[in-house]
Amino acid sequence: MTMPAITGHGVFTPSLSISNDELVEAFNAYADRWNAENAGAIAAGEAETMTHSSADFIFSASGIESRYVLDKDGVLDPARMFPHLAARPDDAPGHMAEMAVDACTKALDMAGRAGAEVDLVICAASNHERAYPAVAIEIQQLLGAGGFAFDMNVACSSATFGIQAAADMIRAGSVKRALVVCPEICSAHLEWRDRDCHFIFGDVCTAVLVEAAEEAQGDHWKIHSTRCATQFSNNIRNNNGFLRRTHDQMEDRRDMQFMQNGRKVFKEVLPMVSAHILGHLDEEGWQADDLKRLWLHQANKTMNDFIGKKVLGRVPEDGEQPNILQDYANTSSAGSIIAFSKHSDDMPKGARGVICSFGAGYSVGSVLLERA
Ligand code: CO8
């Protein structure tokens, strides 16, 4: 059977970033304004004082130091706390398509391929700019790709689920060359006015090119096997579907943005992920010792430390389980692919590793790779 491979990868990183200190300064200014505006209700016991955020808390609870964003001014304006990202007119490329073309072009260049040689584009992300036409079809057109394209959404696991879909189609012979692209504009569905989560997310786009290993024109990563799993949970949820209207008032729109019960997610997802990776290795006859690198979903450093230790049976050595969340924060589906893209080129031929994403759904996806 055809062995699929990742032959190119690329990351689009926005030019703007927000440090924890900048973020906390804006949040605290917003909280002070809110407390002043609601002083009467607070005094009457009808509202609670909004508490300040803290850069020390953010770093110690998550490992995040900074995040990239498409717009900084709107997020840091205490009177707004939301990015300036106007919907694009119908005759202009969308924000997601623009980021995607940048990341895809990098992936194609690495693989020595042109857009016209691609016959499948999967735009896999945790939120899409519009319902239809599929963003993936716009990306297909901008790249001059053929074949077909579609959007998919499995929240943080979108990239690995997309890679499984692409790899399966290449094995089956229904496509020759697929781009799995993950444009994540998390800043536009994050509530920057909520102290519990305002620090978690950032914007980015990743892309991987998947084709038959025998077609690779240079170094590549054989996709030995993929494994996806889901289990319903409301602990990470966004209700912004087409049955809902968007309001400007915080009360009305809050559940139409990212909501989570972070503690529960932490507790419930950790055992699910380590068991998933160990089960996948076992099925393929791989040992944990075979893994030279773990490119994990980038949500929380403590979470990744735990998973790495559980899978390897020891504390991972420096570089074995690279984190990028200190610079990028949680970028949903893109996180594990950024880690892979930035921390894989040094590995020798024959080295093995696993990409693993996990998140809302719950969902977990793993991809077993070997350098070739
Ligand atoms: N500053 C200061 N103190 C704070 C702050 C803050 N900003 N926030 C909370 N605190 C305080 C709380 O008030 C609390 O104080 P007290 O104990 O006195 O009540 C204390 O800190 C502890 O609060 P928490 O229990 O909330 O804090 P944790 O230590 O649990 O850390 C985390 C919170 C970081 C959220 C942690 O629970 C976590 O990382 N959980 C896992 C989360 C996770 O993996 N989620 C995955 C979501 S991503 C996903 O699936 C994709 C979704 C789609 C993308 C969405 C894009 C927008």
Side-chain angles (χ1 to χ4, degrees):
M1 199 194 290
T2 305
M3 166 76 77
I6 294 177
T7 57
H9 47 84
V11 179
F12 163 79
T13 302
S15 59
L16 304 170
S17 66
I18 299 177
S19 69
N20 286 347
D21 285 339
E22 288 175 298
L23 186 75
V24 165
E25 188 184 334
F27 180 89
N28 291 348
Y30 162 74
D32 291 344
R33 283 170 70 111
W34 192 91
N35 289 335
E37 281 163 13
N38 294 280
I42 293 169
E46 291 158 8
E48 283 194 21
T49 307
M50 196 171 285
T51 316
H52 277 189
S53 183
S54 134
D56 286 346
F57 169 85
I58 294 171
F59 181 67
S60 65
S62 68
I64 296 166
E65 296 173 42
S66 188
R67 70 281 299 140
Y68 292 95
V69 285
L70 290 182
D71 174 69
K72 183 166 174 171
D73 291 347
V75 170
L76 294 185
D77 176 356
R80 182 177 170 89
M81 305 290 280
F82 199 69
H84 293 282
L85 287 175
R88 291 274 170 81
D90 291 359
D91 58 356
H95 295 282
M96 290 179 79
E98 236 168 44
M99 301 162 82
V101 167
D102 183 282
C104 289
T105 304
K106 287 171 179 151
L108 289 167
D109 288 350
M110 180 183 283
R113 295 290 179 191
E117 295 176 276
V118 170
D119 56 1
L120 168 63
V121 178
I122 302 177
C123 178
S126 57
N127 222 331
H128 288 84
E129 201 168 330
R130 60 170 181 268
Y132 46 82
V135 175
I137 302 175
E138 188 182 8
I139 299 166
Q140 174 196 23
Q141 188 205 34
L142 290 168
L143 291 171
F148 62 102
F150 60 88
D151 290 349
M152 63 185 280
N153 178 352
V154 202
C156 289
S157 295
S158 300
T160 51
F161 280 53
I163 291 171
Q164 165 152 325
D168 284 351
M169 283 190 245
I170 281 157
R171 278 191 207 99
S174 54
V175 304
K176 267 185 84 85
R177 211 158 278 122
L179 279 163
V180 180
V181 56
C182 303
E184 292 287 3
I185 310 182
C186 299
S187 63
H189 53 117
L190 175 61
E191 177 51 271
W192 296 91
R193 300 175 296 184
D194 183 339
R195 174 175 172 267
D196 287 348
C197 66
H198 76 119
F199 55 89
I200 294 181
F201 293 98
D203 300 334
V204 79
C205 180
T206 57
V208 295
L209 183 71
V210 183
E211 55 187 319
E214 65 198 28
E215 298 260 328
Q217 301 194 338
D219 288 353
H220 56 280
W221 288 93
K222 286 185 194 165
I223 301 176
H224 271 276
S225 165
T226 57
R227 194 186 199 217
C228 298
T230 50
Q231 182 186 302
F232 187 68
S233 166
N234 276 321
N235 285 325
I236 314 170
R237 191 167 171 121
N238 176 333
N239 280 328
N240 198 16
F242 71 98
L243 297 178
R244 305 293 299 259
R245 285 187 302 136
T246 304
H247 295 274
D248 255 356
Q249 283 99 27
M250 187 176 183
E251 296 73 30
D252 290 332
R253 78 169 197 212
R254 184 62 194 94
D255 77 322
M256 291 187 277
Q257 294 169 309
F258 168 80
M259 302 276 289
Q260 80 162 351
N261 187 338
R263 279 280 165 106
K264 276 200 174 161
V265 173
F266 208 109
K267 271 197 184 156
E268 293 174 3
V269 168
L270 282 178
M272 199 177 153
V273 174
S274 27
H276 179 96
I277 297 176
L278 289 168
H280 191 182
L281 292 176
D282 195 43
E283 256 174 25
E284 294 303 315
W286 286 26
Q287 309 299 317
D289 282 350
D290 294 337
L291 296 177
K292 295 293 168 251
R293 209 151 288 177
L294 280 75
W295 300 283
L296 299 180
H297 174 50
Q298 303 285 314
N300 183 294
K301 183 174 180 304
T302 312
M303 242 171 154
N304 285 2
D305 289 348
F306 180 96
I307 294 165
K309 193 172 163 197
K310 195 88 183 156
V311 169
L312 296 177
R314 57 177 169 77
V315 176
E317 284 168 24
D318 266 359
E320 272 187 317
Q321 182 203 285
N323 284 324
I324 54 84
L325 57 78
Q326 64 280 7
D327 303 318
Y328 282 85
N330 183 342
T331 50
S332 194
S333 65
S336 56
I337 306 298
I338 307 173
F340 166 70
S341 190
K342 292 194 181 287
H343 297 278
S344 56
D345 278 359
D346 60 312
M347 292 173 70
K349 293 203 167 61
R352 290 175 168 187
V354 61
I355 297 177
C356 182
S357 65
F358 43 89
Y362 296 131
S363 57
V364 50
S366 50
V367 181
L368 301 185
L369 296 176
E370 180 184 336
R371 181 83 157 161

